[in-house]
């Protein structure tokens, strides 16, 4: 039996789409007007024109179509260069959104929507807002913005030199070290000169890169369909050439590209099996998730290293997997991991998810992207815990380095230097950065995007974690609070001192210099007059 489709489009486009759909061996019956329908349509297709995108009428028209033809899903076809941003695309009330699709993409989307899925494939445009009048900047703001501009310009130049990475190892290490040095200088500048919001108005010296294409396909709107879509996207993003664009030194960078990918894929596979176990066990999700974390990491490490691999160690062959599991402590917990209950409730039971203060269905595109962010953050942080243990094992087992690590870490000095830098970064993050992020209600999440590990910050209340800090970390938050409390008074004092200096220079010293100059001029005038009179 053919599916009945209702098509809204301009005449030329409508004729082309009708011929395409009716030529599919009787799969589709297309109605170009509501009067041609026999009952309700199975799918409504709307080809939006450029005029429909102006004035913010697109979302309103979509709501009218949904209310008129529900429960039929709605497929929106956008023209090329539509100019809609990523947030606007994600908020459109349509089960399917395609931008200038070819016939194969359109037919595949129709099959997905008719079976109850969702499709989103469109390039996010960038709106160009009108420039606002910039207020007068103070000394601190001017120093902050000018410093950030210089640092960002240097960062952009180094990133251009690293794309593609140079073949000379020394040059590569120097450029990577300079990149970390500039990132640390930027964070220190923001910490010293004011809140992060001051830097938002600074112009970006880097050329603006095009927004990524939003591509989400849910074959089913159930928890299984959502997890399969997220897993496919993360598997595609966990490539062997995954680069680090997070601004942090990662232990994962020490592994060879193949082992890095194998570890991420092994963790994803373990999450899949753990999700099946959560479906069969009725006990609380959060409790079981935390209880099974060590076992999950152990199984991922065992999958990374084949159980049959043996390597020499102090004159005898040892099984690598068993030796690594005996020497590794995988029971630790990353305090920066958010609570897993919302993520698990959506992935296991398809419960709604709170995103940016809105309760969304788990199959909504914004909810799917947020779930992907949570899963990728857990994925990278868990891989970091496992990688740190692998680096520690390689330090005492030199033969293991060729099997797991990058070639430049075969040297003991390079490996120990990396471990020392990771330990120093961990201590600095625990003692200084974490209290600051807790006090500012920020959370840093790792994501896999565009072939790189990147960071994305969210703002959410973290008062409970703030109260659990130790006394040393509390001193950092107390220093921030004192700075915020004393900043207006110090600024007022400096402003008053500046006014006093201006008064002294203009009214007192300037007037005194003027009087002295006038006396000198008068004396010179009298001397000249007397000389003329004598002559």
């Amino acid at each position: 039996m053919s599916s009945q489709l209702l098509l809204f489009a301009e005449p030329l486009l409508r004729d082309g789409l009708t011929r395409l759909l009716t030529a599919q061996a009787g799969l589709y019956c297309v109605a170009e007007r509501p009067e041609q329908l026999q009952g309700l349509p199975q799918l409504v297709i709307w080809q939006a024109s450029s005029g429909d995108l102006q004035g913010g009428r697109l979302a309103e028209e979509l709501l009218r179509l949904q209310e008129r033809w529900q429960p039929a899903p709605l497929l929106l076809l956008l023209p090329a260069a539509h100019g809609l941003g990523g947030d606007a695309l994600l908020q459109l009330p349509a089960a399917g959104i395609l931008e200038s699709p070819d016939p194969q993409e359109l037919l595949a989307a129709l099959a997905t929507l008719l079976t109850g899925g969702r499709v989103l494939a469109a390039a996010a445009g960038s709106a160009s807002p009108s420039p606002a009048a910039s207020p007068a900047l103070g000394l601190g703001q001017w120093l902050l913005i000018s410093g950030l501009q210089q640092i960002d310009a240097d960062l952009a130049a180094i990133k251009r030199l690293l794309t593609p990475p140079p073949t000379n190892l020394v040059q590569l290490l120097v450029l990577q070290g300079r990149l970390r040095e500039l990132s640390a200088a930027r964070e220190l500048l923001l910490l010293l000169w004011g809140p992060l919001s001051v830097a938002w108005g600074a112009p970006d010296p880097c050329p603006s890169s095009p927004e990524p294409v939003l591509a989400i396909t849910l074959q089913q709107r159930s928890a299984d369909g959502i997890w399969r879509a997220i897993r496919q996207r993360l598997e595609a993003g966990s490539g062997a050439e995954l680069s680090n664009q997070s601004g942090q030194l990662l232990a994962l960078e020490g592994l060879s590209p193949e082992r890095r990918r194998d570890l991420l894929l092994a963790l994803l596979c373990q999450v899949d099996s753990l999700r099946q176990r959560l479906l069969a066990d009725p006990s609380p999700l959060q409790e079981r998730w935390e209880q099974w974390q060590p076992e999950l990491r152990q199984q991922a490490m065992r999958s990374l290293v084949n159980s049959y691999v043996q390597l020499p160690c102090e004159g005898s062959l040892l099984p690598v997997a068993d030796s690594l599991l005996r020497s590794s402590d995988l029971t630790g917990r990353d305090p920066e991991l958010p609570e897993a209950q919302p993520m698990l409730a959506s992935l296991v039971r398809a419960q709604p998810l709170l995103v940016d203060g809105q309760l969304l269905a788990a199959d909504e595109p914004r909810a799917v992207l947020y779930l992907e962010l949570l899963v990728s953050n857990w994925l990278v942080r868990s891989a970091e815990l496992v990688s740190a243990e692998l680096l520690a094992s390689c330090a005492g087992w030199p033969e293991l380095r060729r099997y797991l690590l990058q070639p430049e870490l075969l040297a003991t000095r390079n490996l120990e230097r990396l471990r020392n830098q990771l330990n120093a970064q961990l201590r600095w993050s625990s003692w200084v950065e974490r209290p600051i992020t807790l006090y500012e209600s920020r959370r840093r999440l790792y994501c896999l995007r565009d072939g790189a590990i990147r960071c994305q910050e969210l703002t959410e209340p973290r008062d409970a974690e703030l109260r659990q800090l130790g006394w040393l970390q509390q001193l950092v938050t107390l220093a921030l609070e004192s700075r915020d409390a004393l900043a207006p008074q110090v600024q007022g004092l400096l402003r008053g001192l500046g006014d006093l200096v201006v008064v002294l220079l203009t009214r007192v010293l300037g007037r005194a210099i003027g009087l002295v100059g006038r006396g000198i001029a008068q004396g010179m005038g009298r001397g000249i007059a007397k000389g003329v009179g004598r002559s």
Side-chain angles (χ1 to χ4, degrees), residues 1-8 14 17-24 26-46 69 72-75 77 106-107 109-115:
M1 183 178 178
S2 60
S3 301
Q4 188 172 212
L5 310 180
L6 178 58
L7 176 61
F8 295 101
R14 183 179 60 209
L17 289 173
T18 301
R19 286 195 299 268
L20 172 66
L21 297 176
T22 53
Q24 303 304 313
L27 292 178
Y28 306 115
C29 177
V30 181
E32 299 179 355
R33 294 187 303 274
E35 296 80 11
Q36 300 175 353
L37 291 172
Q38 297 179 1
L40 290 175
Q42 278 75 42
L43 179 66
V44 179
I45 305 176
W46 178 32
W69 301 108
L74 176 62
L75 173 60
L77 303 180
L106 178 59
L107 295 176
L110 291 179
T112 301
L113 293 173
L114 289 173
T115 55

Side-chain angles (χ1 to χ4, degrees), residues 213-340:
V213 176
L214 297 175
I216 303 173
T217 301
L218 299 181
Q219 298 297 336
Q220 299 175 352
R221 298 193 181 188
S222 61
D224 292 337
I226 296 170
W227 167 245
R228 279 197 296 268
I230 292 175
R231 182 177 179 179
Q232 290 175 359
R233 289 171 60 88
L234 291 179
E235 285 178 348
S238 304
E241 300 300 327
L242 195 65
S243 61
N244 179 20
Q245 301 293 334
S246 64
Q248 300 286 320
L249 184 64
L250 299 178
L252 193 60
E253 292 181 273
L255 302 183
S256 64
E258 294 79 12
R259 301 304 177 194
R260 191 185 312 157
R261 175 178 172 80
D262 292 343
L263 178 57
L264 294 174
L265 294 180
L267 286 170
L268 269 177
C269 183
Q270 292 302 317
V271 173
D272 183 68
S273 61
L274 180 56
R275 181 179 167 275
Q276 299 300 326
R277 295 166 64 181
L278 292 174
L279 285 170
D281 194 343
S283 55
L285 296 176
Q286 179 76 23
E287 178 182 348
R288 285 176 290 160
W289 172 264
E290 295 180 355
Q291 179 183 356
W292 288 336
Q293 288 299 299
E295 179 184 350
L296 188 149
R297 296 167 190 155
Q298 291 174 2
Q299 294 301 324
M301 181 180 287
R302 186 178 293 275
S303 300
L304 173 66
V305 182
N306 194 298
S307 301
Y308 298 101
V309 174
Q310 295 183 348
L311 291 176
C313 179
E314 297 180 355
S316 60
L317 287 177
L318 293 180
V320 176
D322 294 336
S323 302
L324 288 177
L325 290 176
R326 285 195 301 266
S327 62
S328 301
D329 181 15
L330 300 175
T331 59
R333 183 183 181 276
D334 191 342
E336 285 298 306
L337 276 172
E339 185 180 358

Side-chain angles (χ1 to χ4, degrees), residues 53-99:
L53 302 177
Q54 299 176 358
R57 298 179 299 174
L58 186 61
E60 298 179 1
E61 187 62 30
L62 288 173
L63 287 174
R64 293 193 190 98
L65 288 174
Q66 274 197 338
E67 293 174 357
R68 173 65 178 85
W69 301 108
Q70 61 179 345
L74 176 62
L75 173 60
L76 173 65
L77 303 180
L78 292 172
H82 50 77
L84 297 176
D87 293 337
L89 286 173
L90 293 174
Q91 295 177 10
L92 290 177
I97 301 175
L98 297 177
E99 177 187 353

Side-chain angles (χ1 to χ4, degrees), residues 430-432 435-436 439 466 469-483:
S430 176
W431 295 345
V432 179
I436 294 175
Y439 188 66
L466 187 62
L469 293 177
W471 65 270
L472 181 60
Q473 297 167 320
Q474 292 282 357
L475 289 178
V476 177
T477 61
L478 181 61
L480 286 178
E481 186 175 0
S482 303
R483 174 186 176 277

